[in-house]
Amino acid sequence: MALPSKLPDTVQLLPSASDDLARILKRNRQEFMRVQADLVRLGSGNLLSQGKKKLKSVDAFQIDSGRYRIVYSRRETTYTILAVFAKPEQQRYLKRFR
């Protein structure tokens, strides 16, 4: 399923993260639009720093987007989105990256 709207060139999705977004879109378009808006703000540098958190077990950061968490890594000016998941599923998702 193709995701609507284009992300900035500074944001890259792993195939698994793209699948996560497609599942969110299938469940609830409004929540998907909120997550996508946060990804666009992240890529353009307009996301508030107060929501960013460095993860201890993984070399990555997370931000909250409504009832979802976005896990990403950063290399220079490029953000690689590793996963997007519902907050209650965090422990299960982060086990994949350890």
Side-chain angles (χ1 to χ4, degrees):
M1 169 183 253
L3 300 174
S5 184
K6 185 167 169 67
L7 293 174
D9 292 336
T10 57
V11 176
Q12 299 175 346
L13 295 173
L14 289 182
S16 60
S18 183
D19 293 343
D20 294 340
L21 288 173
R23 274 192 297 278
I24 294 169
L25 176 60
K26 197 182 289 187
R27 284 187 206 141
N28 188 323
R29 186 173 180 83
Q30 184 177 5
E31 289 178 348
F32 170 81
M33 296 306 284
R34 179 181 180 146
V35 170
Q36 182 152 357
D38 286 342
L39 289 173
V40 169
R41 283 200 305 263
L42 176 68
S44 62
N46 294 332
L47 195 64
L48 297 175
S49 62
Q50 67 190 25
K52 296 178 187 176
K53 178 183 175 186
K54 172 76 172 101
L55 297 175
K56 293 178 184 176
S57 60
V58 183
D59 186 24
F61 296 87
Q62 81 177 18
I63 55 174
D64 290 343
S65 179
R67 58 181 231 101
Y68 291 94
R69 294 225 162 105
I70 300 168
V71 177
Y72 67 94
S73 64
R74 182 175 181 193
R75 299 233 187 245
E76 297 173 16
T77 60
T78 303
Y79 297 93
T80 302
I81 308 304
L82 305 174
V84 181
F85 50 84
K87 290 178 182 177
E89 299 172 356
Q90 179 169 352
Q91 186 175 14
R92 182 175 61 89
Y93 263 82
L94 292 182
K95 281 183 181 180
R96 294 189 307 180
F97 298 112
R98 291 185 187 149

